[in-house]
Amino acid sequence: KNYVHHVPSKDSPSLTDTFRLCGALLRHNLGSQYPSLSYTSNTHILLNTDENQNAENFSSGVRFSATGPINSGEAGMNALELDNYNRGSNFFSNVPPQQLADASQILHIMPIMFMLPVFWMLYDQQGSVWTLQAARMKLHGLQPEQVTLVNPVEIMIFIPLFDRFIYPVLQSRNWNITPLRRMGVGMVLTSVSFFTSGILETAIQVQEAEGGEKIDIFWQVPQITILAVAEILVSVTGLEFAYSVSPERLKALIMALYLLTTAVGDFLGGVCYSSIFQTLSRSTTMYVCSLLMLGNSIVFRFVAKWWEQREAEKKASV
């Protein structure tokens, strides 16, 4: 889609208001699926920054409450719980339809976003852990940091190669190359990349223990290349996917949330390396990262299947 710049109007909700509405929707949906989560919130949720508009639309100061589904009211909800549920329903009836649709779409995208931090946790190790690995190899006069140049060079070569040749060929053969399918394959390749790195690390440790000749730095190229392909399938595709499915007025917010997954992944990596991974050997750490990514890709497959089913249901209902 082409970029469209939206100038916020005076009555446009702030990001805080949008997040509050997302939280209200999440509590409402969770309460519908799990009646045991029912509770009454005393927090007033007003969704417009303009006070006059607040007074006009939400003069009653409706309180939101997440409770069980309406159709289970007779069986599992007492009078107070049913009243709380109706309060929540009345709350949403006061929300402008477009605001409600935007917040709903944000929540719809978030399960996909939650699957990305583990990828970034592994991906960004090529500038740290893999550089330290390169420092213990035969460099042929290169500096360890210079080996990371391979990744951007391969990315610049692979992106047009995938767009102009690989993707069209796969489509012509009726292969399923939807964005979520590509991202899933990319996660599996990330796992393969770190398994390859673990094999190389094991060989380096054996060489260091036996005192033999250092292993050539070019043995790092396979894992870097596999990760470069994974980056195209996960990062490039994911960025395009997030932009294409986000509401027009919230594309900047969705892009920010997408980039936030990188920070979360790096933070997760820092926590792991300062705690659990300190007790493991370097090769074992690589294998654990590979298994972690493999597990994440399996969960992602189910999340992607759920997301595609929801999208199909949405299109069928139109």
Side-chain angles (χ1 to χ4, degrees), residues 168-181:
V169 169
L170 294 178
Q171 285 179 326
S172 66
R173 297 184 179 182
N174 297 320
W175 282 48
N176 184 351
I177 57 169
T178 59
L180 294 182
R181 178 62 65 90

Side-chain angles (χ1 to χ4, degrees), residues 312-318:
E313 292 172 359
K314 185 189 300 184
K315 292 178 180 179
S317 64
V318 174

Side-chain angles (χ1 to χ4, degrees), residues 26-27 84 89 171 212 222 283 308:
L26 182 61
R27 292 197 299 271
N84 287 336
S89 300
Q171 285 179 326
S283 59
E308 290 175 342

Side-chain angles (χ1 to χ4, degrees), residues 47-48 57-60 62 89-97:
L47 299 176
N48 285 289
N57 289 340
F58 309 110
S59 57
S60 61
V62 178
S89 300
N90 291 334
F91 165 76
F92 290 118
S93 67
N94 288 327
V95 177

Side-chain angles (χ1 to χ4, degrees), residues 1-20:
K1 294 183 179 180
N2 295 327
Y3 174 77
V4 178
H5 178 63
H6 293 277
V7 179
S9 64
K10 181 181 178 180
D11 297 330
S12 296
S14 66
L15 289 180
T16 301
D17 296 332
T18 300
F19 283 130
R20 285 176 178 174

